[in-house]
Amino acid sequence: MTVPVNVGVGPALFTLTGPVADDQFWHYGLRLDVFAALSPELIRENLHRVPRQYRSMAKGIKTEVRYSPLWFLPESLIISPSDTTDIYGVNFKPIDLGITLNESPRLSVSAGLLLSYAYISSETLESPTHFLRPGLGLSAELEFPIADAFRVSVGWQSSLYPPQTVGGPVFEWGDLDESIWHIGQAFLLLHFRFPYTTSL
């Protein structure tokens, strides 16, 4: 069975709540997106591979299904040195569920569980901070097809966390005004697709 695999990569801008935003509003990084793109036609051609109890549901699919088994790949990286506050971080999204609201251009929204870590070193803030939290990510993305093997998308993700005080310990609930409890992420992705043959 041959399926199209999407590899998306591009720049991202991050903003963190609390004193970090007061010190520097935007920080820089990368966004990644890797998944198998299963079209309705491909699913119907391979109905015999779908478990019997799900076949009637598979027949009714009318939009592209995106499947990403590589949960251990980071969804995004913060790589943001500066004159005052440096941030280096990684964000994982092991579970993500979304729906398509429009086909062309493709508008989708999703929600997923997050695990995020960021090291924050600053000359102006309480430092260092080891931000480590589970969270909930809410995303919207608009994707433009340029060619069969190339697409461009723009999007926004709001990541919500239990508040952690800047400069404070990991296992402590912080005051909202002094804490990181939301990380906003604006991103631009270049998507490249190539065929991949699997025995599944």
Side-chain angles (χ1 to χ4, degrees), residues 121-191:
S121 176
S122 177
E123 296 181 0
T124 57
L125 304 175
E126 195 72 30
S127 180
T129 298
H130 294 275
F131 176 79
L132 178 62
R133 284 292 194 264
L136 174 66
L138 305 173
S139 303
E141 186 172 3
L142 187 61
E143 181 181 286
F144 301 91
I146 307 300
D148 289 343
F150 178 66
R151 298 160 188 239
V152 176
S153 68
V154 293
W156 174 266
Q157 176 169 296
S158 283
S159 302
L160 305 172
Y161 304 92
Q164 180 180 333
T165 304
V166 174
V170 170
F171 302 106
E172 182 178 284
W173 189 280
D175 180 77
L176 285 181
D177 291 339
E178 300 299 322
S179 297
I180 301 168
W181 58 269
H182 173 266
I183 298 178
Q185 179 187 160
F187 57 87
L188 167 69
L189 283 171
L190 304 179
H191 299 267

Side-chain angles (χ1 to χ4, degrees), residues 31 64 66 93 96-103 105-112 137-143 154-158 187:
R31 174 95 172 188
E64 182 178 82
R66 299 183 170 186
K93 188 187 284 186
D96 190 32
L97 298 174
I99 58 172
T100 300
L101 303 179
N102 188 66
E103 277 299 324
R106 185 180 193 271
L107 174 62
S108 61
V109 294
S110 66
L138 305 173
S139 303
E141 186 172 3
L142 187 61
E143 181 181 286
V154 293
W156 174 266
Q157 176 169 296
S158 283
F187 57 87

